[in-house]
Amino acid sequence: MSSGYCSLDEDLEDCFFTAKTSFFRSPQSKVPAKNVRQKVEEEKPEPPTLQEIKERIDKYNTKVTNCLLMKLNEDGTYTGFIKVHLKLRRPVTVPAGIRPQSIYDALKEVNLADMTDKRTSFYLPLDAIKQLHISSTTTVSEVIQGLLKKFMVVDNPQKFALFKEMRKDGQVLFQKLPLTEYPLYLRLLAGPDTDVLSFVLKENETGEVEWDAFSIPELQNFLMILDKEEKDKIQQVQKKYEKFKQRLQQTLKEAGGKPG
């Protein structure tokens, strides 16, 4: 990619604990929307200067315990490494009968998915980790696309989202990152400690179904499921009211045999 994205072949072992299933947000004070807006504008940080970036990178590299250092380029951009946890609960779609991607394919940017129209689905290992070498100009959108390409996943990237995982007061909090965010800058601000900040790829649970992200066979399957659920619900309602009807008829029958 033009962003300088590339991926390493080695898999890393998982080193994170499972997040708690729920947490509560801190109550927020009620203030007029206008005041909130002004406050956000006032607190918006200024872009760091080249000297500030250099100082941050130097400080970051002093805390690195392995060889995964950040490097400042002459044009003011910088490169470094991030680890992304893959926590996908649903199967992904991949080309059928395709060999794993080689280092040669990765360097030559060969898209093996284009070599066949056959598709199959399988579950990626839960909590697998991929290490990525990216640039400060690499966006969240490019990270997602790069991860899918690495695993030869042909699903629409809109189905997935990148989250930042943080720990606070004994709880694990997730925050969805906008597609235009720069993950390496977040890594630089947080430092190399993954207990402070880590990145997670999950399904894009927006609350709104993005139907354009699904293929025609998937949409047809959804229709079949909805049709079956509709018939089951109709049968349940019919049985419910049939019981009520029988009880009323029985009551009327018993009442009819009694004197006025």
Side-chain angles (χ1 to χ4, degrees), residues 136-175:
S136 57
T137 60
T138 304
T139 63
V140 165
S141 177
E142 290 172 318
V143 168
I144 294 174
Q145 294 178 39
L147 284 169
L148 298 182
K149 183 178 179 181
K150 175 65 179 176
F151 287 97
M152 295 188 291
V153 175
V154 297
D155 291 303
N156 193 313
Q158 293 180 7
K159 291 184 180 181
F160 308 92
L162 191 67
F163 292 76
K164 66 177 181 180
E165 178 181 331
M166 301 162 291
R167 286 171 172 75
K168 183 178 180 181
D169 298 331
Q171 293 182 326
V172 180
L173 312 179
F174 291 91
Q175 180 180 351

Short mmCIF file of all heavy atoms in Angstrom, two decimals, residues 136-175:
data_model
loop_
_atom_site.label_atom_id
_atom_site.label_comp_id
_atom_site.label_asym_id
_atom_site.label_seq_id
_atom_site.Cartn_x
_atom_site.Cartn_y
_atom_site.Cartn_z
N SER A 136 3.10 6.28 9.99
CA SER A 136 2.26 7.24 10.72
C SER A 136 1.12 7.74 9.86
O SER A 136 0.16 8.33 10.37
CB SER A 136 3.11 8.43 11.20
OG SER A 136 3.76 9.06 10.09
N THR A 137 1.18 7.52 8.55
CA THR A 137 0.10 7.93 7.64
C THR A 137 -0.88 6.80 7.36
O THR A 137 -1.85 6.99 6.63
CB THR A 137 0.69 8.43 6.31
OG1 THR A 137 1.44 7.38 5.69
CG2 THR A 137 1.59 9.64 6.52
N THR A 138 -0.64 5.63 7.93
CA THR A 138 -1.54 4.49 7.74
C THR A 138 -2.79 4.69 8.58
O THR A 138 -2.71 4.90 9.78
CB THR A 138 -0.86 3.18 8.14
OG1 THR A 138 0.35 3.02 7.41
CG2 THR A 138 -1.76 1.99 7.84
N THR A 139 -3.95 4.62 7.93
CA THR A 139 -5.21 4.83 8.63
C THR A 139 -5.79 3.51 9.14
O THR A 139 -5.33 2.43 8.78
CB THR A 139 -6.23 5.49 7.70
OG1 THR A 139 -6.50 4.61 6.60
CG2 THR A 139 -5.72 6.82 7.16
N VAL A 140 -6.81 3.63 9.97
CA VAL A 140 -7.53 2.44 10.47
C VAL A 140 -8.10 1.65 9.31
O VAL A 140 -8.04 0.42 9.29
CB VAL A 140 -8.64 2.87 11.44
CG1 VAL A 140 -9.62 1.73 11.68
CG2 VAL A 140 -8.06 3.35 12.76
N SER A 141 -8.64 2.35 8.33
CA SER A 141 -9.20 1.67 7.15
C SER A 141 -8.16 0.83 6.44
O SER A 141 -8.42 -0.32 6.05
CB SER A 141 -9.78 2.71 6.18
OG SER A 141 -10.26 2.09 5.01
N GLU A 142 -6.96 1.34 6.30
CA GLU A 142 -5.88 0.60 5.62
C GLU A 142 -5.40 -0.58 6.46
O GLU A 142 -5.03 -1.62 5.92
CB GLU A 142 -4.73 1.55 5.31
CG GLU A 142 -5.08 2.57 4.22
CD GLU A 142 -4.00 3.63 4.04
OE1 GLU A 142 -3.47 4.11 5.06
OE2 GLU A 142 -3.69 3.96 2.89
N VAL A 143 -5.41 -0.42 7.79
CA VAL A 143 -5.02 -1.53 8.66
C VAL A 143 -6.01 -2.68 8.51
O VAL A 143 -5.62 -3.85 8.40
CB VAL A 143 -4.95 -1.06 10.12
CG1 VAL A 143 -4.85 -2.26 11.07
CG2 VAL A 143 -3.74 -0.16 10.33
N ILE A 144 -7.31 -2.38 8.49
CA ILE A 144 -8.33 -3.41 8.34
C ILE A 144 -8.17 -4.12 7.00
O ILE A 144 -8.17 -5.36 6.93
CB ILE A 144 -9.74 -2.80 8.45
CG1 ILE A 144 -9.97 -2.27 9.87
CG2 ILE A 144 -10.81 -3.82 8.09
CD1 ILE A 144 -11.28 -1.51 10.04
N GLN A 145 -8.00 -3.35 5.93
CA GLN A 145 -7.83 -3.95 4.61
C GLN A 145 -6.57 -4.81 4.54
O GLN A 145 -6.57 -5.88 3.92
CB GLN A 145 -7.79 -2.85 3.55
CG GLN A 145 -9.10 -2.09 3.40
CD GLN A 145 -9.00 -0.97 2.38
OE1 GLN A 145 -8.36 -1.11 1.34
NE2 GLN A 145 -9.63 0.15 2.68
N GLY A 146 -5.51 -4.34 5.17
CA GLY A 146 -4.26 -5.11 5.18
C GLY A 146 -4.39 -6.42 5.92
O GLY A 146 -3.86 -7.45 5.48
N LEU A 147 -5.10 -6.41 7.05
CA LEU A 147 -5.31 -7.64 7.81
C LEU A 147 -6.14 -8.65 7.01
O LEU A 147 -5.83 -9.84 6.97
CB LEU A 147 -6.01 -7.33 9.13
CG LEU A 147 -5.14 -6.71 10.23
CD1 LEU A 147 -6.01 -6.20 11.36
CD2 LEU A 147 -4.13 -7.72 10.74
N LEU A 148 -7.19 -8.16 6.36
CA LEU A 148 -8.04 -9.05 5.56
C LEU A 148 -7.25 -9.65 4.40
O LEU A 148 -7.40 -10.83 4.07
CB LEU A 148 -9.26 -8.29 5.03
CG LEU A 148 -10.21 -7.72 6.10
CD1 LEU A 148 -11.40 -7.05 5.43
CD2 LEU A 148 -10.67 -8.80 7.06
N LYS A 149 -6.40 -8.85 3.79
CA LYS A 149 -5.58 -9.33 2.68
C LYS A 149 -4.59 -10.38 3.17
O LYS A 149 -4.32 -11.37 2.48
CB LYS A 149 -4.84 -8.17 2.03
CG LYS A 149 -4.02 -8.57 0.81
CD LYS A 149 -3.35 -7.36 0.19
CE LYS A 149 -2.51 -7.78 -1.02
NZ LYS A 149 -1.82 -6.61 -1.63
N LYS A 150 -4.05 -10.16 4.37
CA LYS A 150 -3.09 -11.10 4.92
C LYS A 150 -3.71 -12.48 5.09
O LYS A 150 -3.09 -13.51 4.81
CB LYS A 150 -2.58 -10.57 6.27
CG LYS A 150 -1.66 -11.54 7.01
CD LYS A 150 -0.37 -11.77 6.26
CE LYS A 150 0.54 -12.72 7.01
NZ LYS A 150 1.77 -13.02 6.24
N PHE A 151 -4.96 -12.53 5.54
CA PHE A 151 -5.66 -13.79 5.75
C PHE A 151 -6.48 -14.20 4.52
O PHE A 151 -7.23 -15.16 4.59
CB PHE A 151 -6.58 -13.69 6.97
CG PHE A 151 -5.85 -13.69 8.28
CD1 PHE A 151 -5.55 -12.51 8.93
CD2 PHE A 151 -5.44 -14.88 8.86
CE1 PHE A 151 -4.87 -12.50 10.14
CE2 PHE A 151 -4.76 -14.89 10.07
CZ PHE A 151 -4.48 -13.70 10.70
N MET A 152 -6.34 -13.45 3.43
CA MET A 152 -7.07 -13.72 2.18
C MET A 152 -8.58 -13.73 2.40
O MET A 152 -9.33 -14.49 1.77
CB MET A 152 -6.62 -15.04 1.55
CG MET A 152 -5.18 -15.03 1.09
SD MET A 152 -4.72 -16.50 0.14
CE MET A 152 -4.78 -17.74 1.42
N VAL A 153 -9.05 -12.88 3.30
CA VAL A 153 -10.49 -12.76 3.55
C VAL A 153 -11.09 -11.85 2.48
O VAL A 153 -10.61 -10.74 2.26
CB VAL A 153 -10.75 -12.17 4.95
CG1 VAL A 153 -12.23 -11.93 5.17
CG2 VAL A 153 -10.19 -13.10 6.02
N VAL A 154 -12.14 -12.34 1.83
CA VAL A 154 -12.75 -11.59 0.73
C VAL A 154 -14.03 -10.88 1.17
O VAL A 154 -14.72 -10.27 0.35
CB VAL A 154 -13.04 -12.51 -0.47
CG1 VAL A 154 -11.75 -13.07 -1.04
CG2 VAL A 154 -13.99 -13.65 -0.08
N ASP A 155 -14.37 -10.94 2.44
CA ASP A 155 -15.55 -10.23 2.95
C ASP A 155 -15.34 -8.73 2.82
O ASP A 155 -14.21 -8.22 2.82
CB ASP A 155 -15.81 -10.58 4.41
CG ASP A 155 -16.27 -12.01 4.58
OD1 ASP A 155 -17.28 -12.37 3.96
OD2 ASP A 155 -15.62 -12.77 5.32
N ASN A 156 -16.45 -8.01 2.73
CA ASN A 156 -16.40 -6.55 2.65
C ASN A 156 -15.76 -5.99 3.91
O ASN A 156 -16.17 -6.34 5.03
CB ASN A 156 -17.82 -6.00 2.47
CG ASN A 156 -17.82 -4.55 2.06
OD1 ASN A 156 -17.11 -3.73 2.63
ND2 ASN A 156 -18.63 -4.22 1.08
N PRO A 157 -14.77 -5.10 3.79
CA PRO A 157 -14.13 -4.52 4.99
C PRO A 157 -15.10 -3.79 5.91
O PRO A 157 -14.81 -3.60 7.09
CB PRO A 157 -13.10 -3.54 4.39
CG PRO A 157 -12.80 -4.09 3.02
CD PRO A 157 -14.10 -4.68 2.55
N GLN A 158 -16.27 -3.36 5.37
CA GLN A 158 -17.24 -2.67 6.20
C GLN A 158 -17.82 -3.57 7.29
O GLN A 158 -18.43 -3.09 8.25
CB GLN A 158 -18.38 -2.13 5.33
CG GLN A 158 -17.96 -1.03 4.39
CD GLN A 158 -19.11 -0.53 3.54
OE1 GLN A 158 -20.26 -0.91 3.76
NE2 GLN A 158 -18.82 0.32 2.57
N LYS A 159 -17.63 -4.88 7.16
CA LYS A 159 -18.12 -5.81 8.17
C LYS A 159 -17.26 -5.78 9.44
O LYS A 159 -17.65 -6.35 10.45
CB LYS A 159 -18.12 -7.24 7.62
CG LYS A 159 -19.14 -7.52 6.53
CD LYS A 159 -19.10 -8.99 6.16
CE LYS A 159 -20.09 -9.33 5.08
NZ LYS A 159 -20.07 -10.78 4.73
N PHE A 160 -16.09 -5.15 9.37
CA PHE A 160 -15.14 -5.20 10.47
C PHE A 160 -14.83 -3.80 10.98
O PHE A 160 -14.99 -2.80 10.27
CB PHE A 160 -13.85 -5.89 10.02
CG PHE A 160 -14.09 -7.24 9.38
CD1 PHE A 160 -14.24 -7.34 8.00
CD2 PHE A 160 -14.18 -8.38 10.14
CE1 PHE A 160 -14.46 -8.56 7.40
CE2 PHE A 160 -14.42 -9.61 9.56
CZ PHE A 160 -14.56 -9.70 8.18
N ALA A 161 -14.37 -3.75 12.21
CA ALA A 161 -13.99 -2.48 12.82
C ALA A 161 -12.77 -2.70 13.71
O ALA A 161 -12.59 -3.79 14.27
CB ALA A 161 -15.14 -1.90 13.63
N LEU A 162 -11.96 -1.67 13.83
CA LEU A 162 -10.78 -1.72 14.70
C LEU A 162 -11.09 -0.97 15.98
O LEU A 162 -11.58 0.16 15.94
CB LEU A 162 -9.57 -1.10 14.00
CG LEU A 162 -8.22 -1.33 14.69
CD1 LEU A 162 -7.83 -2.81 14.63
CD2 LEU A 162 -7.12 -0.48 14.05
N PHE A 163 -10.83 -1.62 17.11
CA PHE A 163 -11.09 -1.03 18.42
C PHE A 163 -9.77 -0.84 19.17
O PHE A 163 -8.82 -1.59 18.96
CB PHE A 163 -11.99 -1.94 19.26
CG PHE A 163 -13.39 -2.06 18.75
CD1 PHE A 163 -13.69 -2.83 17.64
CD2 PHE A 163 -14.43 -1.38 19.38
CE1 PHE A 163 -14.98 -2.95 17.17
CE2 PHE A 163 -15.73 -1.48 18.92
CZ PHE A 163 -16.01 -2.27 17.81
N LYS A 164 -9.74 0.15 20.02
CA LYS A 164 -8.63 0.25 20.96
C LYS A 164 -9.12 -0.28 22.31
O LYS A 164 -10.22 0.02 22.75
CB LYS A 164 -8.09 1.67 21.07
CG LYS A 164 -9.02 2.71 21.66
CD LYS A 164 -8.29 4.05 21.75
CE LYS A 164 -9.18 5.12 22.37
NZ LYS A 164 -8.46 6.43 22.45
N GLU A 165 -8.29 -1.10 22.92
CA GLU A 165 -8.62 -1.75 24.18
C GLU A 165 -7.80 -1.13 25.29
O GLU A 165 -6.58 -1.01 25.19
CB GLU A 165 -8.33 -3.25 24.09
CG GLU A 165 -8.60 -4.03 25.35
CD GLU A 165 -8.27 -5.50 25.19
OE1 GLU A 165 -8.38 -6.03 24.06
OE2 GLU A 165 -7.89 -6.13 26.19
N MET A 166 -8.49 -0.69 26.34
CA MET A 166 -7.84 -0.02 27.47
C MET A 166 -8.30 -0.65 28.77
O MET A 166 -9.40 -1.20 28.84
CB MET A 166 -8.16 1.48 27.46
CG MET A 166 -7.75 2.20 26.19
SD MET A 166 -8.60 3.79 26.01
CE MET A 166 -10.29 3.25 25.70
N ARG A 167 -7.47 -0.55 29.79
CA ARG A 167 -7.81 -1.08 31.11
C ARG A 167 -7.96 0.08 32.09
O ARG A 167 -7.10 0.97 32.16
CB ARG A 167 -6.73 -2.04 31.59
CG ARG A 167 -6.77 -3.38 30.88
CD ARG A 167 -5.58 -4.24 31.22
NE ARG A 167 -5.73 -5.59 30.69
CZ ARG A 167 -5.58 -5.90 29.41
NH1 ARG A 167 -5.26 -4.96 28.54
NH2 ARG A 167 -5.74 -7.15 29.00
N LYS A 168 -9.06 0.03 32.85
CA LYS A 168 -9.32 1.10 33.81
C LYS A 168 -10.14 0.54 34.97
O LYS A 168 -11.19 -0.07 34.76
CB LYS A 168 -10.10 2.25 33.15
CG LYS A 168 -10.33 3.43 34.06
CD LYS A 168 -11.05 4.55 33.33
CE LYS A 168 -11.28 5.74 34.26
NZ LYS A 168 -12.00 6.85 33.56
N ASP A 169 -9.66 0.73 36.17
CA ASP A 169 -10.34 0.30 37.39
C ASP A 169 -10.71 -1.18 37.35
O ASP A 169 -11.82 -1.59 37.72
CB ASP A 169 -11.61 1.14 37.61
CG ASP A 169 -11.30 2.62 37.79
OD1 ASP A 169 -10.21 2.93 38.29
OD2 ASP A 169 -12.14 3.45 37.41
N GLY A 170 -9.79 -2.01 36.85
CA GLY A 170 -10.01 -3.44 36.82
C GLY A 170 -10.92 -3.92 35.72
O GLY A 170 -11.28 -5.10 35.68
N GLN A 171 -11.32 -3.05 34.83
CA GLN A 171 -12.18 -3.41 33.72
C GLN A 171 -11.47 -3.18 32.39
O GLN A 171 -10.55 -2.37 32.30
CB GLN A 171 -13.48 -2.60 33.75
CG GLN A 171 -14.36 -2.92 34.94
CD GLN A 171 -15.66 -2.14 34.90
OE1 GLN A 171 -15.68 -0.99 34.45
NE2 GLN A 171 -16.73 -2.73 35.37
N VAL A 172 -11.92 -3.91 31.37
CA VAL A 172 -11.37 -3.76 30.03
C VAL A 172 -12.40 -3.01 29.18
O VAL A 172 -13.53 -3.47 29.02
CB VAL A 172 -11.05 -5.13 29.40
CG1 VAL A 172 -10.48 -4.94 28.00
CG2 VAL A 172 -10.05 -5.88 30.27
N LEU A 173 -12.01 -1.87 28.66
CA LEU A 173 -12.90 -1.02 27.88
C LEU A 173 -12.50 -1.04 26.41
O LEU A 173 -11.32 -1.03 26.07
CB LEU A 173 -12.86 0.42 28.41
CG LEU A 173 -13.01 0.59 29.93
CD1 LEU A 173 -12.94 2.06 30.29
CD2 LEU A 173 -14.31 -0.03 30.42
N PHE A 174 -13.51 -1.04 25.54
CA PHE A 174 -13.27 -1.01 24.11
C PHE A 174 -13.86 0.27 23.52
O PHE A 174 -14.96 0.67 23.90
CB PHE A 174 -13.91 -2.22 23.42
CG PHE A 174 -13.26 -3.53 23.74
CD1 PHE A 174 -13.70 -4.30 24.80
CD2 PHE A 174 -12.20 -3.99 22.99
CE1 PHE A 174 -13.10 -5.50 25.11
CE2 PHE A 174 -11.59 -5.20 23.28
CZ PHE A 174 -12.04 -5.95 24.35
N GLN A 175 -13.12 0.86 22.61
CA GLN A 175 -13.63 2.04 21.91
C GLN A 175 -13.37 1.88 20.42
O GLN A 175 -12.24 1.66 20.00
CB GLN A 175 -12.95 3.32 22.41
CG GLN A 175 -13.45 4.58 21.71
CD GLN A 175 -12.77 5.84 22.21
OE1 GLN A 175 -12.03 5.81 23.20
NE2 GLN A 175 -12.99 6.94 21.53
#
